[in-house]
PDB file of all heavy atoms in Angstrom:
ATOM      1  N   ILE A  31    -109.791 -19.671 223.995  1.00 98.00           N
ATOM      2  CA  ILE A  31    -110.381 -19.450 222.665  1.00 98.00           C
ATOM      3  C   ILE A  31    -109.299 -19.040 221.661  1.00 98.00           C
ATOM      4  O   ILE A  31    -109.305 -19.628 220.606  1.00 98.00           O
ATOM      5  CB  ILE A  31    -111.655 -18.467 222.687  1.00 98.00           C
ATOM      6  CG1 ILE A  31    -112.657 -19.112 223.554  1.00 98.00           C
ATOM      7  CG2 ILE A  31    -112.111 -18.159 221.344  1.00 98.00           C
ATOM      8  CD1 ILE A  31    -113.774 -18.183 223.948  1.00 98.00           C
ATOM      9  N   VAL A  34    -107.613 -22.030 220.376  1.00 98.00           N
ATOM     10  CA  VAL A  34    -108.289 -22.665 219.325  1.00 98.00           C
ATOM     11  C   VAL A  34    -108.067 -22.016 217.955  1.00 98.00           C
ATOM     12  O   VAL A  34    -107.809 -22.612 216.992  1.00 98.00           O
ATOM     13  CB  VAL A  34    -109.856 -22.790 219.672  1.00 98.00           C
ATOM     14  CG1 VAL A  34    -110.563 -23.446 218.507  1.00 98.00           C
ATOM     15  CG2 VAL A  34    -110.076 -23.449 220.940  1.00 98.00           C
ATOM     16  N   TRP A  35    -108.101 -20.669 217.990  1.00 98.00           N
ATOM     17  CA  TRP A  35    -107.821 -19.884 216.837  1.00 98.00           C
ATOM     18  C   TRP A  35    -106.331 -20.301 216.253  1.00 98.00           C
ATOM     19  O   TRP A  35    -106.215 -20.517 215.006  1.00 98.00           O
ATOM     20  CB  TRP A  35    -107.740 -18.388 217.034  1.00 98.00           C
ATOM     21  CG  TRP A  35    -109.112 -17.781 217.432  1.00 98.00           C
ATOM     22  CD1 TRP A  35    -110.268 -18.338 217.415  1.00 98.00           C
ATOM     23  CD2 TRP A  35    -109.213 -16.334 217.722  1.00 98.00           C
ATOM     24  NE1 TRP A  35    -111.253 -17.335 217.664  1.00 98.00           N
ATOM     25  CE2 TRP A  35    -110.575 -16.160 217.919  1.00 98.00           C
ATOM     26  CE3 TRP A  35    -108.328 -15.224 217.907  1.00 98.00           C
ATOM     27  CZ2 TRP A  35    -111.132 -14.891 218.247  1.00 98.00           C
ATOM     28  CZ3 TRP A  35    -108.876 -14.031 218.217  1.00 98.00           C
ATOM     29  CH2 TRP A  35    -110.266 -13.888 218.423  1.00 98.00           C
ATOM     30  N   LEU A  38    -106.399 -23.746 214.618  1.00 98.00           N
ATOM     31  CA  LEU A  38    -106.926 -23.620 213.221  1.00 98.00           C
ATOM     32  C   LEU A  38    -105.949 -23.160 212.340  1.00 98.00           C
ATOM     33  O   LEU A  38    -105.721 -23.551 211.151  1.00 98.00           O
ATOM     34  CB  LEU A  38    -108.249 -22.789 213.251  1.00 98.00           C
ATOM     35  CG  LEU A  38    -109.409 -23.374 213.878  1.00 98.00           C
ATOM     36  CD1 LEU A  38    -110.501 -22.339 214.271  1.00 98.00           C
ATOM     37  CD2 LEU A  38    -109.991 -24.410 212.919  1.00 98.00           C
ATOM     38  N   SER A  45    -107.978 -18.318 210.651  1.00 97.00           N
ATOM     39  CA  SER A  45    -108.909 -18.154 211.833  1.00 97.00           C
ATOM     40  C   SER A  45    -108.981 -16.706 212.150  1.00 97.00           C
ATOM     41  O   SER A  45    -108.366 -15.810 211.551  1.00 97.00           O
ATOM     42  CB  SER A  45    -108.368 -18.889 212.966  1.00 97.00           C
ATOM     43  OG  SER A  45    -107.293 -18.217 213.540  1.00 97.00           O
ATOM     44  N   GLN A  46    -109.674 -16.385 213.219  1.00 97.00           N
ATOM     45  CA  GLN A  46    -109.832 -14.981 213.710  1.00 97.00           C
ATOM     46  C   GLN A  46    -108.470 -14.531 214.180  1.00 97.00           C
ATOM     47  O   GLN A  46    -108.269 -13.241 214.367  1.00 97.00           O
ATOM     48  CB  GLN A  46    -110.800 -14.956 214.867  1.00 97.00           C
ATOM     49  CG  GLN A  46    -112.226 -15.062 214.384  1.00 97.00           C
ATOM     50  CD  GLN A  46    -112.733 -14.049 213.543  1.00 97.00           C
ATOM     51  OE1 GLN A  46    -112.709 -14.091 212.243  1.00 97.00           O
ATOM     52  NE2 GLN A  46    -112.989 -12.898 214.047  1.00 97.00           N
ATOM     53  N   LEU A 100    -117.101 -20.559 210.830  1.00 98.00           N
ATOM     54  CA  LEU A 100    -116.996 -21.643 211.899  1.00 98.00           C
ATOM     55  C   LEU A 100    -117.147 -20.901 213.239  1.00 98.00           C
ATOM     56  O   LEU A 100    -116.379 -20.050 213.442  1.00 98.00           O
ATOM     57  CB  LEU A 100    -115.683 -22.317 211.742  1.00 98.00           C
ATOM     58  CG  LEU A 100    -115.428 -23.347 212.746  1.00 98.00           C
ATOM     59  CD1 LEU A 100    -116.386 -24.508 212.785  1.00 98.00           C
ATOM     60  CD2 LEU A 100    -113.927 -23.947 212.587  1.00 98.00           C
ATOM     61  N   VAL A 101    -118.098 -21.446 213.967  1.00 98.00           N
ATOM     62  CA  VAL A 101    -118.327 -20.840 215.368  1.00 98.00           C
ATOM     63  C   VAL A 101    -118.424 -21.900 216.389  1.00 98.00           C
ATOM     64  O   VAL A 101    -118.545 -23.125 215.982  1.00 98.00           O
ATOM     65  CB  VAL A 101    -119.572 -19.968 215.339  1.00 98.00           C
ATOM     66  CG1 VAL A 101    -119.481 -18.877 214.218  1.00 98.00           C
ATOM     67  CG2 VAL A 101    -120.734 -20.761 215.173  1.00 98.00           C
ATOM     68  N   ARG A 102    -118.453 -21.587 217.581  1.00 98.00           N
ATOM     69  CA  ARG A 102    -118.778 -22.480 218.656  1.00 98.00           C
ATOM     70  C   ARG A 102    -119.982 -21.950 219.351  1.00 98.00           C
ATOM     71  O   ARG A 102    -120.107 -20.791 219.721  1.00 98.00           O
ATOM     72  CB  ARG A 102    -117.597 -22.649 219.776  1.00 98.00           C
ATOM     73  CG  ARG A 102    -116.379 -23.210 219.219  1.00 98.00           C
ATOM     74  CD  ARG A 102    -116.383 -24.710 219.186  1.00 98.00           C
ATOM     75  NE  ARG A 102    -116.496 -25.264 220.503  1.00 98.00           N
ATOM     76  CZ  ARG A 102    -115.534 -25.458 221.412  1.00 98.00           C
ATOM     77  NH1 ARG A 102    -114.280 -25.189 221.136  1.00 98.00           N
ATOM     78  NH2 ARG A 102    -115.761 -25.977 222.654  1.00 98.00           N
ATOM     79  N   VAL A 142    -119.278 -18.046 219.561  1.00 98.00           N
ATOM     80  CA  VAL A 142    -117.975 -17.356 219.470  1.00 98.00           C
ATOM     81  C   VAL A 142    -117.557 -17.767 218.130  1.00 98.00           C
ATOM     82  O   VAL A 142    -117.418 -18.954 217.817  1.00 98.00           O
ATOM     83  CB  VAL A 142    -117.133 -17.884 220.580  1.00 98.00           C
ATOM     84  CG1 VAL A 142    -115.696 -17.307 220.410  1.00 98.00           C
ATOM     85  CG2 VAL A 142    -117.581 -17.646 221.988  1.00 98.00           C
ATOM     86  N   THR A 143    -117.103 -16.743 217.301  1.00 98.00           N
ATOM     87  CA  THR A 143    -116.618 -17.049 216.050  1.00 98.00           C
ATOM     88  C   THR A 143    -115.155 -17.484 216.097  1.00 98.00           C
ATOM     89  O   THR A 143    -114.227 -16.891 216.681  1.00 98.00           O
ATOM     90  CB  THR A 143    -116.696 -15.739 215.106  1.00 98.00           C
ATOM     91  OG1 THR A 143    -118.056 -15.297 215.077  1.00 98.00           O
ATOM     92  CG2 THR A 143    -116.067 -15.971 213.789  1.00 98.00           C
ATOM     93  N   LEU A 144    -114.847 -18.522 215.338  1.00 98.00           N
ATOM     94  CA  LEU A 144    -113.499 -19.147 215.232  1.00 98.00           C
ATOM     95  C   LEU A 144    -112.821 -18.682 213.929  1.00 98.00           C
ATOM     96  O   LEU A 144    -111.644 -18.432 213.858  1.00 98.00           O
ATOM     97  CB  LEU A 144    -113.569 -20.598 215.368  1.00 98.00           C
ATOM     98  CG  LEU A 144    -114.201 -21.191 216.617  1.00 98.00           C
ATOM     99  CD1 LEU A 144    -114.173 -22.718 216.572  1.00 98.00           C
ATOM    100  CD2 LEU A 144    -113.424 -20.653 217.863  1.00 98.00           C
ATOM    101  N   ALA A 145    -113.539 -18.794 212.733  1.00 98.00           N
ATOM    102  CA  ALA A 145    -113.006 -18.560 211.451  1.00 98.00           C
ATOM    103  C   ALA A 145    -114.128 -18.179 210.401  1.00 98.00           C
ATOM    104  O   ALA A 145    -115.121 -18.719 210.587  1.00 98.00           O
ATOM    105  CB  ALA A 145    -112.262 -19.816 210.992  1.00 98.00           C
ATOM    106  N   VAL A 162    -111.357 -27.773 218.626  1.00 97.00           N
ATOM    107  CA  VAL A 162    -112.575 -27.153 218.016  1.00 97.00           C
ATOM    108  C   VAL A 162    -113.873 -27.800 218.668  1.00 97.00           C
ATOM    109  O   VAL A 162    -114.854 -27.271 218.903  1.00 97.00           O
ATOM    110  CB  VAL A 162    -112.669 -27.314 216.566  1.00 97.00           C
ATOM    111  CG1 VAL A 162    -113.993 -26.955 215.898  1.00 97.00           C
ATOM    112  CG2 VAL A 162    -111.480 -26.398 215.940  1.00 97.00           C
TER     113      VAL A 162
END
Side-chain angles (χ1 to χ4, degrees):
I31 295 168
V34 178
W35 292 357
L38 285 163
S45 75
Q46 288 299 100
L100 175 62
V101 305
R102 295 275 302 273
V142 177
T143 301
L144 302 178
V162 169

